[in-house]
Each structure stands twice: as C-alpha cells, then as structure tokens.
Amino acid sequence: MSQELILNQRVVLASRPQGSPTPENFRLEREALPDVQDGQVQLRTLYLSLDPYMRGRMSDAPSYAPPVEIDAVMEGGAVSVVEQSRNPAFKEGDLVVGQTGWQTHSLSDGKNLMQVPKDLPSPSMAVGVLGMPGITGYMGLMNIGQPKSGETLVVAAASGAVGSVVGQVAKLHGLRVVGIAGGIDKCRYVMDELGFDACIDHKSEHFAEQLSEACPSGIDIYFELVGGKVFEAVLPLLNQHARIPLCGLIAQYNAQRLPDGPNYLPLLMRTLLTKRAKIQGFIVYEEYYHRLEEFMQAMVPLVKDGKVKFREDVVEGLEHAPDAFIGMLEGKNFGKLVVKVS
Amino acid sequence: MSQELILNQRVVLASRPQGSPTPENFRLEREALPDVQDGQVQLRTLYLSLDPYMRGRMSDAPSYAPPVEIDAVMEGGAVSVVEQSRNPAFKEGDLVVGQTGWQTHSLSDGKNLMQVPKDLPSPSMAVGVLGMPGITGYMGLMNIGQPKSGETLVVAAASGAVGSVVGQVAKLHGLRVVGIAGGIDKCRYVMDELGFDACIDHKSEHFAEQLSEACPSGIDIYFELVGGKVFEAVLPLLNQHARIPLCGLIAQYNAQRLPDGPNYLPLLMRTLLTKRAKIQGFIVYEEYYHRLEEFMQAMVPLVKDGKVKFREDVVEGLEHAPDAFIGMLEGKNFGKLVVKVS
C-alpha cells in the first residue's frame, strides 16, 4: 500500500539545562515519518501534556527513570488519533493516550497505548483530570494519605492538575482542605470554584503565619508536590500520625546544589519521630497504573457530575511547548498545562 | 497493720540541660516512702533501664510525651519486686515491669504494671531484649521494615538494645545485615557474636565509603535510631522502595540549634521521591504495646534458643545512674544499659 509522506515536527533535547531550562535546551526539527510497519499504528498528536516530572528527564542525574538522550525527542504523554493502523487492536479514528513525546506524529506498536473514551467533553482530559495527574492525586491521597472525615489536608500547587484533584476528593471525604497557590487569582479560583476551605498565597510575606491560621487543628495530610519553603512551613503544623504522600518537588527541580543552611534535615527527622509521621514517595506509573480501572470508576462520575472540577491552560502549537514548559516551572500556568498540537 | 519505714532514694530532675546533660541536672534525694494504700503495691526496684528517649523528657520542647517536671523523679522503666501488696492482682515476691522511675522504691496502683515471667535468666531482660527495646526493634522491623529474604538491612547502634534485636531478627529472615557501631570492640562483637554480615565503625575516617562497600546491593531497610551523619551516609545508598522505620535520633538529642548548612532536607525529599522510599516514625508504647503477646511468642523462644543474643552493660547503684546516662548519650555503653538498684 502506497503511503503519503508525513512530515513529523518534533522537539528534541538539544542540551542539558544548568539550573532553569532555557529555550536553547530545546530544538524544533522536521523529519519524514517512517512508513507504518506490520503491528504498528501511526498517530497524530492532538494534545501534549506538559508536566513537572519532565524536568527530571532533561538531567542525567540518577533518578527512577533514564534521562532523555541528547538529540532525542522530549518525553511526554499525549492524546493522539489513530491515522493508520496495521495493528488489529486499533482502528483509524481511535483516540489513544501514551508516552508518545513532544511531536506531531508518532509510530507505536500499541503496547503502551490506552484507548480514550470518545464521550469525554475534551480528549485532553485523558492527560489531565482523568489521566496521569488525576491518578497521581487520587491514588496518592487514598492509599498513602488515608483521608478521614474531620481531618485537615494541605496541598500546594492547588490550582494545578494534581493539587485540584487531591483537594476536591479530600473535600468529598469530609476533610478540611487548605490549598496553597501562587497569587490572588489562583487562590480565589481554588476557594470559589474548587470549594477549598482556604487557600494561601505562597508569595505572601506572612505565608507561614497565614498557613498556621488556616489550619487551627494542625495538618493531618500534607500532599507534597512542591518541596522547598512550603514544606518548611508545613513541618511545625503536622499532627500526630500525619501522612505525607510525596510525588513531586517542583520548587527544587532547577536547583543546582544543596541550599545553604541551616540544615533542616534533623528537624524533619525529629518531627517525624515525635509526631509518628510518615513520608512516602511514589511514582504513579509503577505503583498505581494497574489500578486504572478503579480510578476511572471513582473519578469519571465525579467529573461528569461536576463534583470534581478542573481547569486547563491550553497553549496552541508544538513550537510553543518549550516556553510553556519553562513558564510552568516558574508557576506561570493556571490549571493543567496542555499543548494543542493539531 | 503497722508498716516499716522505707527510705526511698530517688534521682530527680534538678534543671533542664542546655545541650548535653551534666551531673548538675540531676539530684539524688531521700524521702520516706508513703504508706501503701488499698489497691496499691509497694515495689522495690531491681533493675532500672536507661534509654536514650529519656533525654527528650528532660527538655520542655514539644514532644509526644510531656516532660519530667523540675524536682520530679526522672522517668524510666524498671523491673521491681513486689514487697507489699494491697492489690489482689499482685502478691509479695511477684516481679513486675513498669514506668516506676529512677528510684529505689515506688508505689503503684498496678494499672500499668506487667508481670515478669520468673523463669527468665535475669529479670533485667524484661527491660531489654524482652522489654521495651526488644519490642521496639522487633515491631518496627516487622511492621514498617517489612523484611524480605535477600534484601539488605542497615542498623546503627548495632551493639545496643534495639539495634542488636533488629539485626539478629533480620538475619533470621534471610537478609544481609550490616551494623554500624562506635569502635572496633563493638564492631567485632556485632559480627562475631551477633552474626551480622558486616559492621562499620562510624568513627572511621572513611565511614561513608566503608558503608557503601558493605552494601554492594544498596540498602532496602535502614532502621533509624541515631540520625545525624550516619543518615547522611545512608541516603545515597537507599534502594527503590526502601523503608526507614524511625524510632530514635540519639546523635541529635543534645543539639541546641539546627546544624549549619548545606541544607540536606531537599536531598532527602528528592531521594524519597526518586526511590519511592518511606520514612515512618513510631513510638512503641502507643503503636505496638497492645501486641506484646505476639512479640513474646516470637521472641522468647529465639532468646531461649540463643538465636537472639544480647549483652547488658550493668551499672551498680542508683547514684551512678546520671553518669551512666550521660555516657550513654556519648556512646560509652556497650550493650543494653541497666542500673542494678538493689
């Protein structure tokens, strides 16, 4: 069968960042997409998800996943449409989600693709509230956080993809929910739209005092996405048997060396000991993806009924992905950041 | 019934230490023991246990337990003999263990006393390998550590009461067990007598390298009793899904302020995240004392068969308790520190 020549546009890693990434660390390329082979599908990317973990893949420091190689396509999850299929599990027009990278087209053997329900209001939800960030928030909260009615939960990046799910689901379980976000607009959204009990601006001069006032009964669950100064303000407020699910540290991803002292490590350890508290790191792909169905059964009705709301920050065009990503690491996005690719 | 006058000798908290405790923080007193009332027992202390947690009770910083008041008897667990009983649950000559404090005699309503089996080789075991330290080690290891055959466990203070139980029980479960102790004699004892696979001297100039060499497959469980420099050396060796039961931080109990930088807190958080690791603080009295029977059923046969060995460092005379306690915080004891009171 003769195939039409497809020009694939892709963003590759040009160099590894020192500190904050810059546009020079990325390069936009065009290449002819190879022909589809037996067993493969040809995909056209609709929505590329931009997520903080990608900063880790740009570095070659040891981590839970290997880094992106220099000159290789940046890693990323995306929703795509099947344009050609030589794999019996997929047909033309199917919507799928997978780690297909920062590019307009891709080929896949189908092994790590998941079908996306066609009745979603927007397919982009499959990389947001009903995708990796949603599963991360829901599973980390329910399994490590173990929320109990009447407790207090704090989550930072509260207007973002993970934080908004964590807070709203905790609220549905009867917790007092305090968000942390950057700026008045985000805080207002978190309280007025997402229904959190309070939201504190981490840029405020009196952040630590305000957080303490918003948590009159202390903190039982701190869902950790950011690290840095926020965590230092949370520490003295932790209650006995506090639980800290840990799945992100965006505030420290660009750090090139350990911060100056004092050394807070002994204070953390003392707090964990005297409060009998728990911190547990997790990576959603490995820990919880086999429980995707459980997640979807719980979350799809909540989203459809408007009990879990979400906000997307949509950037148009793959060529803008690097700038959008760099901005996200500085907290410039407002809601789940996705790139509308085609 | 006429009662004999009993002169009770006791060590009270004279002042709160600034940094390391000094003899001046303690005061030895004599007082007439009040008469036994209905429902009470009169106890004569045989063995007083000295344990690192007592340093916390000397300070009025917030903790999981209230501090000892100034001029009050120092808190501590001890094995005693019942000298008089006006409580039907106890009779003269019974051996009991309870938090009766640093004193030669005490009165108790019996509520928090436990009977000590009379067939123990020494009643002091009831405050050691078969008492609080043993339960701490066993329960923390089994419940939070979740040991699996073939894994590697590291425990510091390895010749001490908790560490020696942790390591020996882990060894019986098929783990590679690496101890850390202060000085060649302790290290030799830990390897030759307790059967650990290796033991590293934390006073060695090349401690971190030696620990790394002793753990060629990384560390799956680090049982945390000490904190400080040892923990910093452990951090880079942690494996994926490492577990860190945390029940003591003796290396930092005397600290008066946070240490100088760099700040290792972000490194710890990054490690927990990328390794999907867990730290969990616990206090044995609250978490596990209701499972005492389970512990005794597991541990008594192991101790009787010599599969779990233990060493006691016995100091004679209550008047030497303060010096012995101060020395313990500097690592001068060799084995479980107990004071033979009478």
Side-chain angles (χ1 to χ4, degrees), chain B residues 2-310:
Chain B
S2 89
Q3 299 196 333
E4 187 190 357
L5 180 72
I6 304 266
L7 210 57
N8 179 33
Q9 230 185 341
R10 57 187 201 171
V11 176
V12 302
L13 182 64
S15 58
R16 301 203 185 280
Q18 308 296 318
S20 298
T22 64
E24 291 67 41
N25 297 132
F26 303 90
R27 190 174 64 242
L28 190 66
E29 291 185 345
R30 281 187 178 74
E31 53 145 29
L33 197 69
D35 287 346
V36 186
Q37 304 298 314
D38 259 353
Q40 287 188 325
V41 290
Q42 175 190 306
L43 304 174
R44 179 167 55 84
T45 308
L46 300 179
Y47 290 94
L48 166 66
S49 177
L50 293 181
D51 301 283
Y53 77 85
M54 295 165 172
R55 176 65 184 83
R57 302 292 195 281
M58 299 178 76
S59 296
D60 52 8
S63 187
Y64 57 90
V68 174
E69 298 296 330
I70 297 292
D71 297 332
V73 179
M74 278 293 296
E75 187 177 329
V79 186
S80 301
V81 61
V82 176
E83 287 202 320
Q84 267 197 60
S85 177
R86 296 180 65 179
N87 180 318
F90 301 90
K91 58 181 194 302
E92 266 179 54
D94 279 355
L95 293 180
V96 295
V97 64
Q99 288 293 106
T100 50
W102 296 25
Q103 52 189 347
T104 57
H105 296 79
S106 61
L107 299 177
S108 167
D109 62 8
K111 271 184 194 147
N112 293 306
L113 294 182
M114 282 182 296
Q115 295 275 359
V116 173
K118 290 211 174 157
D119 60 347
L120 296 183
S122 162
S124 61
M125 291 168 66
V127 291
V129 66
L130 295 179
M132 185 275 284
I135 307 169
T136 300
Y138 181 85
M139 286 294 180
L141 172 66
M142 299 306 290
N143 290 280
I144 301 174
Q146 301 270 339
K148 290 169 202 69
S149 180
E151 291 188 329
T152 297
L153 172 138
V154 171
V155 61
S159 63
V162 180
S164 62
V165 166
V166 168
Q168 291 177 93
V169 172
K171 194 78 196 133
L172 290 170
H173 281 79
L175 281 78
R176 174 172 175 81
V177 172
V178 177
I180 297 170
I184 289 175
D185 287 349
K186 288 182 184 175
C187 285
R188 191 166 296 146
Y189 165 77
V190 167
M191 286 192 285
D192 296 350
E193 297 295 318
L194 302 183
F196 285 32
D197 296 288
C199 189
I200 313 298
D201 183 355
H202 65 74
K203 298 174 180 172
S204 158
E205 197 185 340
H206 305 290
F207 166 65
E209 295 89 325
Q210 288 167 343
L211 182 64
S212 173
E213 280 163 23
C215 303
S217 307
I219 298 173
D220 300 292
I221 304 174
Y222 173 57
F223 197 104
E224 176 61 298
L225 293 166
V226 301
K229 294 284 169 201
V230 169
F231 187 52
E232 288 168 17
V234 162
L235 261 188
L237 304 177
L238 291 174
N239 285 337
Q240 291 288 322
H241 298 291
R243 288 86 68 198
I244 304 178
L246 161 62
C247 66
L249 293 164
I250 191 170
Q252 62 185 61
Y253 287 160
N254 285 335
Q256 293 181 268
R257 54 181 185 83
L258 293 176
D260 291 338
N263 181 3
Y264 284 96
L265 181 55
L267 178 66
L268 171 66
M269 296 299 276
R270 181 185 146 77
T271 303
L272 294 177
L273 174 59
T274 60
K275 302 291 177 68
R276 292 164 283 188
K278 176 170 80 169
I279 301 186
Q280 185 164 353
F282 70 102
I283 308 288
V284 73
Y285 282 111
E286 310 233 354
E287 257 79 55
Y288 298 119
Y289 253 65
H290 62 284
R291 291 166 63 182
L292 188 65
E293 201 166 326
E294 173 191 339
F295 164 76
M296 293 298 271
Q297 280 175 2
M299 191 60 78
V300 170
L302 295 177
V303 172
K304 285 195 172 161
D305 295 351
K307 287 180 179 166
V308 170
K309 296 174 186 166
F310 64 101

